[in-house]
Every structure is written in structure tokens, then in C-alpha cells.
Amino acid sequence: MPVGDSQTIGSAGEHTWRYRMWQHLRETYDGPFALVGPRETLYDKATDAPTSYEYADPDPAFPRAHLAGWGEGWLHMAPLIGEAVRSCRADVLLVSLGLIDLGFYTNAEQTAENVRGFVAEARSANPRVRIVVLPVIPNVRAESDEPFGAQVTRFNELLAKTVADLDEPRSPLLLTSPPPSYDINLDTYDGTHPNASGEHKIAEAFAEAMYQAWDLGEPYAA
């Protein structure tokens, strides 16, 4: 189950990193799998609502399911994740959250507490759920707004500690490396949201973490 904010839900006309991950697993994972989640749509900038089904590739085989929302963060997903895991029978969560929390709702310490709440709720629904977490990718605001950039750096430090504290054998919690060579000037279309190359790099970060830690799939080849 992909879980995330605007970088994960994507907007009309995009492939999304979810699609890139699906392509990768379809080609490298030797076994049945599905992307699951209670939502399917993209965000539509014209209507300012998550109402679009206009993916860049209309491949009918692509499982569009996810739990992602434009402007949603750990604060918003923590109360939803238990029911989503339970109803969709999710075994693995691929989580990319935090930028929106730090930008509008909570500081680094408060956001880290919401991570703990999220993990607890997910495990209450599936005690053996595996969770892979992406660090917050700095965006154009983090480069231009020094206090905000400091909060991003601080949260990523707290996130690493939280993951280490909460990791357990029956329900592994894994922190990915930052997306390889991610450059907001080359891998986004607006300083925040990934373009095609950014989508591949986010998918690669998740894929490489799962391959190295759990031998799931193979090394990512964009």
C-alpha cells in the first residue's frame, strides 16, 4: 500500500512513482502481488480535488489503489491507517510523508510522535505488517526558508531514531536511503513534485531498500 501526500497521489496527467514501482515489481518480483488501498484517484488541479482518473499511462492492468492525499501528512494518515490496513489486507506499507506536516501543521518533534501513532495503528490492524519509510525529500522551500529547512533536517534525524526504536522482527520497520542523486531542479516540475525522473528515483529508493533488506525483487532498473 503506497501511503503519502501530493508526491504520492500525483496529479492528472502523471504516471506517479506508484506506477514506476508497479512496473519494477512486475518485472522483477517472482510471485503474485498487488498494490492496495482505499483510494484510486489522482489530484485534479483544475477542480482542486482528488477526482481524476487521467493517469499518463491508461494501462488497465495498473492497480491504482493507494492511501495518499494532496495536502495530507502523518497527522492525517495516522487515524486512517489502521482501517486501511485491515480492510485492504495490506502486508507492506510504502510511506512517503512529512513535508506537509512540517510545512503547515506540526514541528519536527510533534511529527515524529505522529509517526509513532501511525506505526501503532498499522500494527494494531496487522501485527506482522512491514513498513518502509522514505525520509522527507527537501523541496524548494527547504532551500529558501532556513528555519523550515532546519525542521526538515531535524525531523529526518528523529525519523531515523524512531525507526530504529520501533523496528521489531515480526513487524520490520525500514528507513530508505534518500532517493539517489535527487535534484529538485532536475527531478521535479515545480521544486516539490516529481517529474518522470523524480518518480523513478523515489520508486528506486523504496525498491532498493526492500531488495537489500528483504531480498524482495531485484535492483531497480529505470
Side-chain angles (χ1 to χ4, degrees):
M1 180 186 293
V3 183
D5 52 27
S6 56
Q7 295 176 334
T8 298
I9 186 174
S11 57
E14 297 176 12
H15 286 91
T16 74
W17 69 258
R18 298 180 280 114
Y19 173 83
R20 312 295 186 182
M21 175 60 74
W22 171 71
Q23 281 189 312
H24 167 73
L25 290 175
R26 185 172 62 166
E27 295 169 1
T28 66
Y29 180 62
D30 184 20
F33 77 95
L35 300 186
V36 300
R39 304 174 183 176
E40 292 189 345
T41 57
L42 295 157
Y43 178 75
D44 190 335
K45 294 178 181 177
T47 62
D48 191 26
T51 55
S52 176
Y53 287 89
E54 299 298 321
Y55 285 81
D57 187 336
D59 187 337
F62 172 46
R64 295 163 171 78
H66 62 80
L67 177 61
W70 200 275
E72 296 185 58
W74 291 103
L75 174 69
H76 308 84
M77 294 303 181
L80 304 179
I81 193 60
E83 177 57 28
V85 168
R86 189 176 297 109
S87 62
C88 299
R89 302 177 66 185
D91 298 309
V92 179
L93 306 180
L94 306 180
V95 186
S96 173
L97 291 169
L99 192 65
I100 198 72
D101 301 83
L102 300 169
F104 296 96
Y105 302 108
T106 52
N107 62 26
E109 287 74 17
Q110 292 166 331
T111 306
E113 281 302 308
N114 287 331
V115 174
R116 291 179 178 272
F118 176 100
V119 172
E121 288 297 321
R123 285 174 171 167
S124 72
N126 178 359
R128 297 188 178 277
V129 69
R130 300 193 223 179
I131 306 175
V132 191
V133 183
L134 188 77
V136 172
I137 306 170
N139 68 345
V140 64
R141 179 181 170 188
E143 289 196 353
S144 61
D145 182 339
E146 185 174 347
F148 177 67
Q151 282 290 295
V152 170
T153 299
R154 174 60 176 158
F155 172 70
N156 281 339
E157 293 169 350
L158 293 172
L159 181 62
K161 183 179 185 305
T162 300
V163 167
D165 288 348
L166 299 181
D167 183 35
E168 60 181 54
R170 73 169 185 166
S171 177
L173 188 55
L174 184 63
L175 184 66
T176 80
S177 298
S181 64
Y182 197 88
D183 184 333
I184 65 171
N185 297 305
L186 301 176
D187 298 317
T188 75
Y189 60 81
D190 62 358
T192 297
H193 300 98
N195 57 22
S197 66
E199 291 170 356
H200 276 296
K201 290 181 179 181
I202 292 173
E204 181 178 0
F206 281 115
E208 290 293 327
M210 290 191 292
Y211 170 70
Q212 293 176 21
W214 303 330
D215 199 25
L216 193 157
E218 296 178 7
Y220 191 89

